[in-house]
């Protein structure tokens, strides 16, 4: 890479020098960084799970084979699960820290809104991952979500777009798979980059 | 200037002893990032090794009567079991989200302290409901 001046994206995210204030643990408690780290672990383990997992009627069988037969399959699945739970918690705690330190106030309101959207997306991703487990519990959770959508005017179409046609015994569908694997993480990844860029632009400490 | 003075190794000051606006090389932050990353990954691997993630009940098994949500939606599920779906599934979550999104403007109108209290109440209610769901089902 060429010169990392302040005008380049990398120079913006990773400047050669930083303010001493950014070194203090209390500035961020590393919570934003932990959330991003969780996202990275989820991306890596998620890609590995993609090689074996099959959405739809085969979801439960492929997951139980992955869990018990495939070498390190259970470890990768566990890493994926725990990283997801840790991401939800760290994003929430990050929000608490931002409000506590009043870092949401103008001129940073746009980044606050981005952060709230990121939190909502993280929770929806966690829910969609739960549905992909493909068992009776996921079927029950999908049924509840579907019922909530269909209670809205015109909600049947929305429910079909998001959930597909799950049964009460299996929440895993191709639609949910597409949302969980491609659409939601793609939007989340893009918004995270925007979030990091805005933190620096708004004059905040660089994210840990 | 005494020539021996510049040859003497400089002892780096601790972060607290420096002025907050003073500039330092990025490596000082990177060291802290590496330590936090190591600690976070240790916790993740500890959880992975120590707490088993169960599979769901097989779809081919005898039907189990379930009304279950993942813990992140436990609070909504708890409300759904008690109040109408339109209220607990849509109005209350969307209202809470609207309050969160407009927090910078609340701060302008009401001041930082009151905004913090609003945020705290909102968070405690949702986190409390999540714990209620997890403990009581």
């Amino acid at each position: 890479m060429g010169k990392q001046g302040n005008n380049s994206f990398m120079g913006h995210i990773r400047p050669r020098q930083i303010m001493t204030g950014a070194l203090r643990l209390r500035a961020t408690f590393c919570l934003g960084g932990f959330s991003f780290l969780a996202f990275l672990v989820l991306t890596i383990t998620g890609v590995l799970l993609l090689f074996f997992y099959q959405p739809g009627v085969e979801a439960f069988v492929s997951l139980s084979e992955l869990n018990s037969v495939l070498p390190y399959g259970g470890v990768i699945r566990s890493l994926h699960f725990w990283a997801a739970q840790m991401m939800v918690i760290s994003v929430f705690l990050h929000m608490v820290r931002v409000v506590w330190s009043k870092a949401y106030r103008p001129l940073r309101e746009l980044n606050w809104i981005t952060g709230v959207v990121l939190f909502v997306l993280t929770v929806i991703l966690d829910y969609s991952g739960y549905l992909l487990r493909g068992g009776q519990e996921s079927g029950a959770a999908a049924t509840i979500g579907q019922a909530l959508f269909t209670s809205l005017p015109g909600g049947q179409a929305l429910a079909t777009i998001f959930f597909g046609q799950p049964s009460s015994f299996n929440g895993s569908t191709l639609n949910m798979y597409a949302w969980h694997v491609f659409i939601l993480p793609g939007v989340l990844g893009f918004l995270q980059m925007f979030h990091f860029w805005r933190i620096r632009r708004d004059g905040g400490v660089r994210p840990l | 200037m005494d020539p021996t003075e510049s040859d003497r190794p400089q002892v780096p000051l601790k972060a607290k002893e420096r002025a907050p606006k003073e500039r330092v090389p990025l490596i000082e932050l990177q060291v802290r990032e590496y330590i936090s990353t190591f600690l976070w990954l240790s916790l993740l691997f500890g959880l992975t090794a120590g707490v088993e993630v169960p599979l769901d009940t097989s779809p081919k098994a005898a039907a189990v009567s379930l009304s279950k949500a993942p813990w992140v939606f436990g609070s909504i599920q708890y409300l759904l079991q008690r109040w109408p779906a339109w209220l607990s599934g849509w109005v209350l979550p969307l209202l809470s989200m609207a309050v969160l999104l407009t927090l910078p403007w609340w701060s302008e109108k009401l001041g930082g302290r009151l905004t913090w209290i609003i945020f705290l109440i909102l968070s405690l209610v949702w986190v409390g409901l999540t714990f209620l769901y997890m403990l009581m089902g």
Side-chain angles (χ1 to χ4, degrees):
Chain A
M1 183 172 279
K3 188 182 171 187
Q4 287 187 359
N6 279 334
N7 291 329
S8 74
F9 183 74
M10 280 310 291
H12 194 68
I13 298 287
R14 312 283 299 177
R16 284 180 180 167
Q17 291 193 318
I18 50 155
M19 301 286 189
T20 315
L23 293 178
R24 292 193 188 122
L25 181 68
R26 283 179 60 192
T28 62
F29 291 104
C30 313
L31 290 162
F34 287 155
S35 310
F36 183 60
L37 190 58
F39 181 73
L40 290 181
V41 172
L42 284 165
T43 307
I44 295 164
T45 53
V47 168
L48 292 173
L49 290 172
L50 276 182
F51 290 120
F52 204 79
Y53 177 81
Q54 289 174 285
V57 286
E58 291 296 317
F60 182 81
V61 176
S62 68
L63 209 59
S64 29
E65 276 181 17
L66 185 145
N67 207 46
S68 51
V69 179
L70 211 66
Y72 301 108
V75 175
I76 292 165
R77 181 174 165 256
S78 281
L79 279 172
H80 195 73
F81 174 84
W82 285 116
Q85 313 319 310
M86 284 168 77
M87 184 171 173
V88 173
I89 294 167
S90 58
V91 171
F92 172 70
L93 291 177
H94 178 58
M95 279 175 71
V96 174
R97 197 279 302 165
V98 168
V99 179
W100 171 250
S101 60
K102 299 185 177 72
Y104 61 93
R105 287 172 142 182
L107 308 160
R108 296 176 184 165
E109 64 266 48
L110 178 61
N111 219 19
W112 166 256
I113 291 168
T114 313
V116 174
V117 174
L118 281 170
F119 173 67
V120 173
L121 284 175
T122 306
V123 170
I124 295 173
L125 256 170
D126 197 271
Y127 173 68
S128 59
Y130 184 86
L131 300 193
L132 289 182
R133 291 160 72 144
Q136 292 193 29
E137 285 83 350
S138 80
T143 310
I144 295 165
Q146 247 189 334
L148 272 180
F149 270 81
T150 46
S151 69
L152 291 174
Q156 183 61 53
L158 281 175
T160 309
I161 290 168
F162 192 66
F163 292 95
Q165 299 289 336
S167 73
S168 56
F169 291 97
N170 179 3
S172 173
T173 59
L174 202 57
N175 294 42
M176 192 49 67
Y177 183 70
W179 282 103
H180 184 77
V181 175
F182 301 108
I183 303 166
L184 290 171
V187 176
L188 197 81
F190 174 77
L191 277 180
Q192 277 182 101
M193 291 302 123
F194 178 74
H195 193 65
F196 299 156
W197 176 70
R198 283 298 304 199
I199 290 168
R200 296 278 307 135
R201 196 171 167 222
D202 295 341
V205 295
R206 60 166 306 288
L208 259 178
Chain B
M1 195 172 100
D2 181 4
T4 54
E5 188 72 25
S6 59
D7 295 339
R8 196 177 294 160
Q10 299 292 307
V11 180
L13 290 168
K14 285 184 180 173
K16 278 183 187 171
E17 293 165 358
R18 295 179 185 136
K21 294 277 182 187
E22 190 186 328
R23 287 189 170 273
V24 287
L26 182 66
I27 187 71
E28 291 204 26
L29 184 65
Q30 284 175 321
V31 169
R32 286 163 170 80
E33 284 179 334
Y34 296 145
I35 294 168
S36 342
T37 302
F38 175 76
L39 292 174
W40 188 90
L41 287 174
S42 304
L43 176 64
L44 177 65
F45 278 97
L47 280 169
T48 302
V51 189
E52 196 188 344
V53 181
L55 288 167
D56 278 1
T57 313
S58 169
K60 287 175 184 164
V64 186
S65 175
L66 286 167
S67 169
K68 208 164 161 62
W71 70 271
V72 286
F73 279 118
S75 48
I76 293 178
Q77 177 73 354
Y78 186 83
L79 293 175
L80 279 171
Q81 287 164 348
R82 283 152 185 87
W83 289 344
W86 61 269
L87 181 66
S88 41
W90 289 111
V91 174
L92 292 175
L94 288 178
L95 205 62
S96 305
M97 219 165 73
V99 172
L100 276 185
L101 286 168
T102 53
L103 219 57
W105 289 273
W106 286 109
S107 166
E108 293 275 286
K109 293 228 177 244
L110 306 170
R113 194 180 172 81
L114 213 55
T115 310
W116 167 248
I117 292 170
I118 291 171
F119 176 79
L120 203 62
I121 291 170
L122 202 63
S123 303
L124 286 175
V125 166
W126 285 108
V127 172
L129 287 172
T130 306
F131 274 103
L132 270 177
Y133 174 75
M134 284 162 67
L135 296 174
M136 295 164 71

